[in-house]
Amino acid sequence: MILPIVGYGDPVLRKIGDEISSDYPNLNVLIANMYETMYNAFGVGLAAPQIGLAIRLFVIDTEPFSDSEKLSKDEQQQLKGFKQTFINAKILLEEGNEWVFNEGCLSIPDVREDVTRNERIKIEYFDENFIKKTEIYDGIIARVIQHEYDHIEGILFTDKISSLKKTLIKKKLQNIMDGKAFPDYRMRFVNKKGR
């Protein structure tokens, strides 16, 4: 089932997510719905707060990035095969050179900005079968994970840009809160009448 994506300004996007257990109600259905919602919105990642749930869960599928001609064949292959569910994730280490990449967010439609992040992470999490894993990721996969991980920490990519850039996008952010954004997927806006 395709769920509405929560828009910028909703308090749930600022909450630190709670850990969940393997008996979380209808977890498999929730995960399936999150993937379906993400694909419907042409996203590469979706975190539970973006569908209104303040829990430590996010899903990623980097396949859409695998077509980029800017990437090597190896990088394209790596992105093509990467689909993963992260439950109760904890980033243990962020290291390597910082690099800039233009990011967007399904909760903040039509806003894209350059964000600086470390190139490599070490992360501990449970997969959809509640098998505990510790992995090291780098490049675009690490960046997508960092972006989604920020969501379960109550952080948005707009928090990581300069004050000048924040001033320049202020009106766009207000329009999103007021429901004056029109992406081609379902959204729930914080200030829109008749929510």
Side-chain angles (χ1 to χ4, degrees), residues 104-149:
C105 179
L106 296 177
S107 292
I108 312 173
D110 302 321
V111 175
R112 298 194 64 84
E113 292 294 338
D114 287 346
V115 177
T116 302
R117 297 187 189 271
N118 289 89
E119 67 183 339
R120 190 168 34 260
I121 61 165
K122 182 176 185 180
I123 187 168
E124 180 181 274
Y125 65 97
F126 292 90
D127 68 12
E128 64 279 5
N129 300 310
F130 259 81
I131 295 167
K132 192 174 190 177
K133 298 185 174 187
T134 303
E135 308 274 2
I136 293 172
Y137 296 108
D138 59 18
I140 292 178
I141 290 175
R143 176 171 291 273
V144 175
I145 292 169
Q146 288 166 310
H147 179 107
E148 298 309 325
Y149 182 83

Coordinates of all heavy atoms in Angstrom, one line a residue, residues 104-149:
G104 N 18.5 15.6 -2.2 CA 17.1 16.0 -2.2 C 16.4 15.1 -1.2 O 17.0 14.2 -0.6
C105 N 15.1 15.3 -0.9 CA 14.4 14.5 0.1 C 12.9 14.4 -0.3 O 12.3 15.5 -0.7 CB 14.6 15.1 1.4 SG 13.7 14.3 2.8
L106 N 12.3 13.3 -0.2 CA 10.9 13.1 -0.6 C 10.0 14.0 0.3 O 8.9 14.4 -0.1 CB 10.5 11.6 -0.5 CG 11.2 10.7 -1.5 CD1 10.8 9.3 -1.2 CD2 11.0 11.1 -2.9
S107 N 10.5 14.3 1.6 CA 9.7 15.1 2.5 C 9.8 16.6 2.2 O 9.1 17.4 2.7 CB 10.1 14.9 3.9 OG 9.7 13.6 4.3
I108 N 10.8 16.9 1.3 CA 11.1 18.3 1.0 C 11.2 18.4 -0.6 O 12.2 18.6 -1.1 CB 12.4 18.8 1.6 CG1 12.5 18.4 3.1 CG2 12.6 20.3 1.5 CD1 13.8 18.6 3.8
P109 N 10.0 18.2 -1.2 CA 10.0 18.2 -2.7 C 10.5 19.5 -3.3 O 10.3 20.6 -2.8 CB 8.6 17.9 -3.0 CG 7.8 18.4 -1.8 CD 8.7 18.1 -0.7
D110 N 11.2 19.3 -4.5 CA 11.6 20.5 -5.3 C 12.7 21.3 -4.6 O 12.9 22.5 -5.0 CB 10.5 21.4 -5.7 CG 9.4 20.6 -6.5 OD1 9.8 19.7 -7.3 OD2 8.2 20.8 -6.3
V111 N 13.4 20.8 -3.6 CA 14.5 21.5 -3.0 C 15.7 20.5 -3.0 O 15.6 19.4 -2.6 CB 14.2 21.8 -1.5 CG1 15.4 22.4 -0.8 CG2 13.0 22.8 -1.4
R112 N 16.8 21.0 -3.6 CA 18.0 20.2 -3.7 C 19.2 21.1 -3.3 O 19.2 22.3 -3.8 CB 18.3 19.7 -5.1 CG 17.2 18.7 -5.6 CD 17.6 17.9 -6.8 NE 18.7 17.1 -6.5 CZ 18.6 15.8 -6.0 NH1 17.4 15.3 -5.7 NH2 19.7 15.1 -5.8
E113 N 20.1 20.6 -2.5 CA 21.2 21.4 -2.1 C 22.5 20.5 -2.0 O 22.3 19.3 -1.8 CB 21.0 22.1 -0.8 CG 19.9 23.2 -0.8 CD 20.3 24.4 -1.6 OE1 21.5 24.7 -1.9 OE2 19.4 25.1 -2.1
D114 N 23.6 21.1 -2.1 CA 24.9 20.4 -1.9 C 25.1 20.2 -0.4 O 25.0 21.1 0.4 CB 26.1 21.2 -2.5 CG 26.1 21.2 -4.0 OD1 25.4 20.4 -4.6 OD2 26.8 22.0 -4.6
V115 N 25.4 18.9 -0.1 CA 25.6 18.5 1.3 C 27.0 17.8 1.4 O 27.3 17.0 0.6 CB 24.5 17.6 1.8 CG1 24.7 17.1 3.2 CG2 23.1 18.3 1.7
T116 N 27.7 18.2 2.4 CA 29.0 17.5 2.7 C 28.9 16.4 3.7 O 28.3 16.6 4.7 CB 30.0 18.6 3.2 OG1 30.1 19.7 2.3 CG2 31.4 18.0 3.4
R117 N 29.4 15.2 3.3 CA 29.4 14.1 4.2 C 30.7 13.3 4.1 O 31.4 13.4 3.1 CB 28.3 13.1 3.9 CG 26.9 13.7 4.0 CD 25.8 12.7 3.9 NE 24.5 13.2 3.8 CZ 23.7 13.4 4.9 NH1 24.1 13.1 6.1 NH2 22.5 13.9 4.7
N118 N 31.0 12.5 5.1 CA 32.2 11.6 5.0 C 32.0 10.5 4.0 O 30.8 10.1 3.8 CB 32.5 11.0 6.4 CG 33.0 12.0 7.4 OD1 32.2 12.6 8.1 ND2 34.3 12.2 7.5
E119 N 33.0 10.0 3.4 CA 32.9 9.1 2.3 C 32.7 7.6 2.8 O 32.2 6.8 2.0 CB 34.1 9.1 1.4 CG 35.4 8.6 2.1 CD 36.6 8.7 1.2 OE1 36.5 8.8 -0.1 OE2 37.7 8.8 1.7
R120 N 32.9 7.3 4.1 CA 32.8 5.9 4.5 C 32.2 5.9 5.9 O 32.4 6.7 6.7 CB 34.2 5.3 4.6 CG 34.3 3.8 4.8 CD 35.7 3.2 4.5 NE 36.8 4.1 4.9 CZ 37.5 4.8 4.1 NH1 37.2 4.9 2.8 NH2 38.5 5.6 4.5
I121 N 31.4 4.8 6.1 CA 30.7 4.6 7.4 C 30.8 3.1 7.8 O 31.0 2.3 7.0 CB 29.2 5.0 7.4 CG1 28.5 4.2 6.4 CG2 29.1 6.5 7.2 CD1 26.9 4.2 6.5
K122 N 30.8 3.0 9.1 CA 30.6 1.6 9.7 C 29.3 1.7 10.5 O 29.1 2.6 11.3 CB 31.8 1.3 10.6 CG 31.7 -0.1 11.2 CD 32.9 -0.4 12.1 CE 33.0 -1.8 12.6 NZ 34.2 -2.0 13.4
I123 N 28.4 0.7 10.2 CA 27.1 0.8 10.7 C 26.6 -0.6 11.3 O 27.0 -1.6 10.7 CB 26.0 1.3 9.7 CG1 24.7 1.5 10.3 CG2 25.9 0.4 8.5 CD1 23.7 2.3 9.4
E124 N 25.9 -0.6 12.4 CA 25.4 -1.8 13.0 C 23.9 -1.7 12.9 O 23.3 -0.6 13.2 CB 25.9 -1.8 14.5 CG 25.4 -3.0 15.3 CD 25.9 -2.8 16.7 OE1 27.1 -3.2 17.0 OE2 25.2 -2.3 17.5
Y125 N 23.2 -2.8 12.5 CA 21.8 -2.7 12.3 C 21.2 -4.1 12.3 O 22.0 -5.1 12.3 CB 21.4 -2.0 11.0 CG 21.9 -2.7 9.8 CD1 21.0 -3.5 9.1 CD2 23.2 -2.6 9.3 CE1 21.4 -4.2 7.9 CE2 23.6 -3.2 8.2 CZ 22.7 -4.1 7.5 OH 23.1 -4.7 6.4
F126 N 19.9 -4.2 12.3 CA 19.2 -5.5 12.1 C 18.6 -5.4 10.8 O 18.0 -4.4 10.4 CB 18.1 -5.7 13.2 CG 18.7 -6.0 14.6 CD1 18.9 -4.9 15.4 CD2 19.0 -7.2 15.0 CE1 19.5 -5.1 16.7 CE2 19.6 -7.5 16.3 CZ 19.8 -6.4 17.1
D127 N 18.6 -6.5 10.0 CA 17.9 -6.6 8.7 C 16.4 -6.9 9.0 O 16.0 -7.0 10.1 CB 18.6 -7.5 7.7 CG 18.5 -9.0 8.1 OD1 17.7 -9.3 9.0 OD2 19.2 -9.8 7.5
E128 N 15.6 -7.1 7.9 CA 14.2 -7.4 8.0 C 13.9 -8.7 8.8 O 12.8 -8.9 9.3 CB 13.5 -7.3 6.7 CG 13.9 -8.4 5.7 CD 15.2 -8.1 4.9 OE1 15.9 -7.1 5.2 OE2 15.6 -8.9 4.1
N129 N 14.9 -9.6 8.8 CA 14.7 -10.9 9.6 C 15.2 -10.8 11.0 O 15.4 -11.8 11.7 CB 15.4 -12.0 8.8 CG 14.8 -12.2 7.4 OD1 13.6 -12.2 7.3 ND2 15.6 -12.2 6.4
F130 N 15.6 -9.6 11.4 CA 16.2 -9.3 12.7 C 17.5 -10.1 12.9 O 17.8 -10.5 14.0 CB 15.2 -9.5 13.8 CG 14.6 -8.2 14.3 CD1 13.6 -7.6 13.7 CD2 15.2 -7.6 15.4 CE1 13.1 -6.4 14.0 CE2 14.7 -6.3 15.8 CZ 13.6 -5.7 15.1
I131 N 18.3 -10.1 11.8 CA 19.6 -10.7 11.9 C 20.5 -9.4 12.1 O 20.5 -8.5 11.3 CB 20.0 -11.5 10.7 CG1 19.1 -12.7 10.6 CG2 21.5 -11.8 10.7 CD1 19.2 -13.5 9.3
K132 N 21.4 -9.5 13.1 CA 22.2 -8.3 13.4 C 23.4 -8.3 12.5 O 24.0 -9.4 12.2 CB 22.7 -8.4 14.9 CG 23.4 -7.1 15.3 CD 23.7 -7.2 16.8 CE 24.2 -5.8 17.3 NZ 24.4 -5.8 18.8
K133 N 23.8 -7.1 11.9 CA 24.9 -7.0 11.0 C 25.7 -5.8 11.3 O 25.2 -4.8 11.8 CB 24.3 -6.9 9.6 CG 23.5 -8.1 9.1 CD 23.1 -7.9 7.7 CE 22.5 -9.2 7.2 NZ 22.2 -9.3 5.8
T134 N 27.0 -5.9 11.0 CA 27.9 -4.7 11.1 C 28.6 -4.7 9.8 O 29.2 -5.6 9.3 CB 28.9 -4.9 12.2 OG1 28.2 -5.1 13.5 CG2 29.8 -3.6 12.4
E135 N 28.4 -3.5 9.1 CA 28.9 -3.4 7.7 C 29.7 -2.1 7.5 O 29.4 -1.1 8.3 CB 27.8 -3.4 6.7 CG 26.8 -4.6 6.8 CD 27.2 -5.8 6.1 OE1 28.3 -5.8 5.5 OE2 26.5 -6.8 6.1
I136 N 30.5 -2.1 6.5 CA 31.2 -0.8 6.1 C 30.8 -0.5 4.7 O 30.7 -1.4 3.8 CB 32.8 -1.0 6.2 CG1 33.2 -1.2 7.6 CG2 33.5 0.2 5.6 CD1 34.6 -1.6 7.8
Y137 N 30.4 0.7 4.5 CA 29.9 1.2 3.2 C 30.7 2.5 2.8 O 31.1 3.2 3.7 CB 28.4 1.5 3.2 CG 27.6 0.3 3.5 CD1 26.9 0.1 4.7 CD2 27.4 -0.7 2.5 CE1 26.1 -1.0 4.9 CE2 26.6 -1.8 2.7 CZ 26.0 -2.0 3.9 OH 25.2 -3.1 4.1
D138 N 30.8 2.7 1.5 CA 31.4 4.0 1.1 C 30.7 4.5 -0.1 O 29.8 3.9 -0.6 CB 32.9 3.8 0.9 CG 33.2 2.8 -0.2 OD1 32.3 2.4 -1.0 OD2 34.4 2.3 -0.3
G139 N 31.1 5.7 -0.5 CA 30.6 6.3 -1.7 C 29.1 6.7 -1.6 O 28.6 7.1 -0.5
I140 N 28.4 6.5 -2.7 CA 27.0 6.9 -2.7 C 26.1 6.1 -1.8 O 25.2 6.6 -1.1 CB 26.4 6.8 -4.2 CG1 27.1 7.9 -5.0 CG2 24.9 7.0 -4.2 CD1 26.7 8.0 -6.5
I141 N 26.4 4.8 -1.6 CA 25.7 4.0 -0.7 C 25.8 4.5 0.7 O 24.8 4.7 1.5 CB 26.1 2.5 -0.8 CG1 25.6 1.9 -2.1 CG2 25.5 1.7 0.4 CD1 26.1 0.4 -2.3
A142 N 27.0 4.9 1.1 CA 27.2 5.4 2.5 C 26.4 6.7 2.6 O 25.8 7.0 3.6 CB 28.7 5.7 2.7
R143 N 26.4 7.5 1.6 CA 25.7 8.8 1.6 C 24.2 8.6 1.8 O 23.6 9.3 2.6 CB 26.0 9.6 0.3 CG 25.2 10.9 0.3 CD 25.6 11.8 -0.9 NE 27.0 12.3 -0.6 CZ 27.2 13.4 0.0 NH1 26.3 14.1 0.6 NH2 28.5 13.8 0.2
V144 N 23.6 7.7 1.0 CA 22.2 7.4 1.1 C 21.9 6.9 2.5 O 20.9 7.4 3.2 CB 21.7 6.4 0.0 CG1 20.2 6.1 0.2 CG2 21.9 7.0 -1.4
I145 N 22.7 6.1 3.1 CA 22.5 5.6 4.4 C 22.6 6.7 5.4 O 21.7 6.8 6.3 CB 23.5 4.5 4.8 CG1 23.2 3.2 3.9 CG2 23.5 4.1 6.3 CD1 24.3 2.1 4.0
Q146 N 23.6 7.6 5.3 CA 23.7 8.7 6.2 C 22.5 9.6 6.2 O 22.0 10.1 7.2 CB 25.0 9.5 5.9 CG 26.3 8.8 6.2 CD 27.5 9.5 5.6 OE1 27.5 9.7 4.4 NE2 28.5 9.7 6.4
H147 N 22.0 9.9 5.0 CA 20.8 10.7 4.8 C 19.6 10.1 5.5 O 18.9 10.8 6.3 CB 20.5 10.9 3.3 CG 19.3 11.7 3.0 ND1 19.4 13.0 2.5 CD2 18.0 11.4 3.1 CE1 18.1 13.5 2.3 NE2 17.3 12.5 2.7
E148 N 19.4 8.8 5.3 CA 18.2 8.1 5.9 C 18.4 8.0 7.4 O 17.5 8.1 8.2 CB 17.9 6.8 5.3 CG 17.6 6.8 3.8 CD 16.5 7.8 3.5 OE1 15.5 8.0 4.3 OE2 16.5 8.4 2.4
Y149 N 19.7 7.7 7.8 CA 20.0 7.6 9.3 C 19.7 8.9 10.0 O 19.2 9.0 11.1 CB 21.5 7.2 9.4 CG 21.9 7.1 10.9 CD1 21.7 5.9 11.5 CD2 22.5 8.1 11.6 CE1 22.1 5.7 12.8 CE2 22.9 7.9 12.9 CZ 22.7 6.7 13.5 OH 23.1 6.5 14.8

